[in-house]
Amino acid sequence: MISRFTSTNLLRGAVRYYGSTSTSYTLPDLPYDYKALEPVIAGEIMEIHHKKHHQAYVTNLNASLEKYAAAESAKDVAAMIGLQSAIKFNGGGHVNHSIFWTNLAPKNAQGGVSPSGPLADAINQQFGSLEKFIEKFNAQTVAIQGSGWGWLGYDKANSKLVISSCANQDPLSTIGLTPLLGIDVWEHAYYLQYKNARADYLKNIWQIVNWSNVAERYSKAKRLKHIHDKIAFNLVNLLYSIHWMDNRIE
Ligand SMILES: [Fe+2]
């Protein structure tokens, strides 16, 4: 009985904690100057991309969440449903760009330096080599119709790296993958410099990929999977013990 009481309260506390929402998101600073990624990405592109596009996602996300909170208070389910696509689009835009900025680094700050350690091992094992991985990633990403993102993700169910893509601003998590490296192929990310040559943009961007950031995300994703598996294992044991105790009491 004590176990049940404690676990119920723990669950309620967790729901309260994770269920709480903040309606105020802010534009993160870039970890480098706008011109620092030149000549691969022009400073003008970076400034507009960050100050205008990413800022617009943040502003519209906050506005949508405020409207959602009002609709929820009024128990207006139709209005709540109507806001979901704006929240997905602008929330995805905020999440994706926040990852993208940190996935890149200037050449004089380790940008383009090949990965090492477990991430490099996994890339070599799954794709043959970094070069083959890039070739496959670029082929898949250049073919995205319209606007979207190319991704290297982590599939925690199979403990594998996955090359994937998402349309518009859909976050990679919507297809069950943990984002490690995202490349923005909306035209606003390259058009001022590369015009319609998306393939050239994709060919050059590897010179400024921050592989240590990608490796850090990979390590964290694997750690979280380990913790998740451990919790699931302990939870099953706990439930089994409660069931066993209940049977003895009865
Ligand atoms: Fe973008």
Side-chain angles (χ1 to χ4, degrees):
M1 198 53 155
I2 289 169
S3 300
R4 274 181 179 170
F5 177 78
T6 308
S7 59
T8 304
N9 279 321
L10 277 172
L11 280 171
R12 281 184 181 148
V15 168
R16 269 201 299 273
Y17 178 77
Y18 288 106
S20 66
T21 55
S22 164
T23 54
S24 185
Y25 291 90
T26 54
L27 182 69
D29 289 334
L30 291 192
Y32 37 74
D33 294 336
Y34 290 127
K35 288 189 172 188
L37 303 183
E38 292 185 346
V40 177
I41 303 179
E44 187 186 12
I45 290 179
M46 290 301 294
E47 187 165 358
I48 295 171
H49 200 171
H50 180 247
K51 275 190 188 167
K52 303 291 183 186
H53 292 279
H54 190 167
Q55 179 63 65
Y57 296 124
V58 171
T59 303
N60 293 332
L61 172 64
N62 288 334
S64 300
L65 288 174
E66 274 180 32
K67 286 179 191 166
Y68 189 91
E72 194 174 25
S73 296
K75 298 194 186 305
D76 186 345
V77 178
M80 288 161 69
I81 293 169
L83 285 160
Q84 285 182 0
S85 95
I87 292 170
K88 183 181 181 185
F89 181 76
N90 292 295
H94 176 47
V95 168
N96 292 340
H97 286 87
S98 298
I99 296 169
F100 182 56
W101 306 135
T102 61
N103 278 163
L104 303 178
K107 284 186 186 179
N108 62 7
Q110 300 293 300
V113 173
S114 299
S116 57
L119 176 63
D121 294 343
I123 288 174
N124 289 333
Q125 190 188 6
Q126 282 191 237
F127 303 101
S129 66
L130 181 62
E131 291 70 29
K132 284 181 182 164
F133 159 74
I134 290 173
E135 197 180 314
K136 192 172 178 188
F137 184 103
N138 281 4
Q140 199 164 318
T141 305
V142 80
I144 293 172
Q145 293 181 339
S147 301
W149 290 74
W151 287 102
L152 170 65
Y154 178 66
D155 175 4
K156 62 178 183 294
N158 298 303
S159 303
K160 292 272 186 192
L161 296 174
V162 179
I163 295 173
S164 189
S165 58
C166 289
N168 302 316
Q169 294 295 357
D170 294 356
L172 191 65
S173 56
T174 56
I175 53 173
L177 300 173
T178 304
L180 305 178
L181 168 65
I183 303 297
D184 187 348
V185 290
W186 280 59
E187 284 189 344
H188 67 225
Y190 61 86
Y191 198 87
L192 279 179
Q193 184 177 351
Y194 292 89
K195 302 297 181 281
N196 63 336
R198 182 188 277 179
D200 291 346
Y201 161 69
L202 284 172
K203 184 180 161 201
N204 288 344
I205 203 157
W206 300 99
Q207 296 173 45
I208 51 166
V209 165
N210 183 349
W211 282 108
S212 71
N213 178 268
V214 183
E216 207 175 294
R217 291 177 184 279
Y218 178 59
S219 160
K220 189 178 171 190
K222 286 207 304 180
R223 218 166 43 240
L224 285 175
K225 176 189 160 42
H226 179 69
I227 292 168
H228 178 270
D229 290 350
K230 214 167 179 178
I231 289 172
F233 178 76
N234 288 333
L235 193 59
V236 168
N237 279 339
L238 178 67
L239 291 171
Y240 179 79
S241 301
I242 291 170
H243 179 67
W244 181 80
M245 281 166 59
D246 283 350
N247 283 342
R248 279 180 68 95
I249 289 166
E250 284 164 9

